[in-house]
Amino acid sequence: MDRPRVVPARRHGRDRLYVRLPDGRNIAWYDREAARVNLLDAEREDEVLAALAPYLTGPVAVGPPPVPTPVDLARLSLHPDDDLAPNRPGEALLVDLDRAPGPARRLRPDPRRAELDAQRTVGDALDAMGGVGGHALHSLPLPGGHRVHHLLIGPGGLYALHVRSAHRQRVTVAEPQVRIGRRPPEPVLHRVRADADRAAHALTAEVRPVLVLAGARRVTVAAAPRGVRILTDADVPELARGGGVLKPADVEALYAAARDRRTWAGL
């Protein structure tokens, strides 16, 4: 009899290795992120482990698939058009640059590209924090055309991050103004707080505002901003060090709500 074969696939945002019989029937799958082999046919455990042996890099749990929680069921029932989890950092800027790339030759670099690089840098830092029990969402649309650049949901609470590019420039923060390099000061802190307030209203939970000055050479805070945390991109991992605010079940429930486009549509 032909042996089972291993077929890689991506399902629900996770990489899996399916163990499949010659007739096309799946008998197990290996979830690398969870380090677990889920058996659909317990009597074929030895065959499954033999097929997966070249792909297993450490100890794994083996057993039947876990029973889905209410949060899992809500996520699985979410229509792909309403799921914001696949949004990339700087999604809105990517779409804008694709629609209107601007002239091929210009005297100065397109400032949208600097902002895109900044959002990508912060987004990558947030995505790297997924192993500490949190989730990050990017470019969440708000009515009126605004976006929450990043939303971090974890044991330490919820954070709405607004990102500005400040590559190798000095930044001065004086409530509510932020001056980056030689640019005119802007009332950025009003926007940062407004985004966090709208996120809090949508999720019915406290959301803390954070301004991230990506690549800043020096940040001077002339007047302490009310309720806004000021970070550079190098400081973003500090947000994962807190804990004791949200239980794991609360984190998952808030993540399920936040990734649903309909949560934000009624603001």
Side-chain angles (χ1 to χ4, degrees), residues 90-102 110 112-113:
E91 185 78 36
L93 287 168
L94 284 165
V95 172
D96 189 44
L97 284 165
D98 185 57
R99 290 176 177 172
D110 191 328
R112 295 176 297 175
R113 298 196 177 276

Side-chain angles (χ1 to χ4, degrees), residues 75-87:
R75 182 177 69 248
L76 295 176
S77 65
L78 187 61
H79 191 280
D81 290 343
D82 292 324
D83 190 359
L84 299 174
N87 278 13

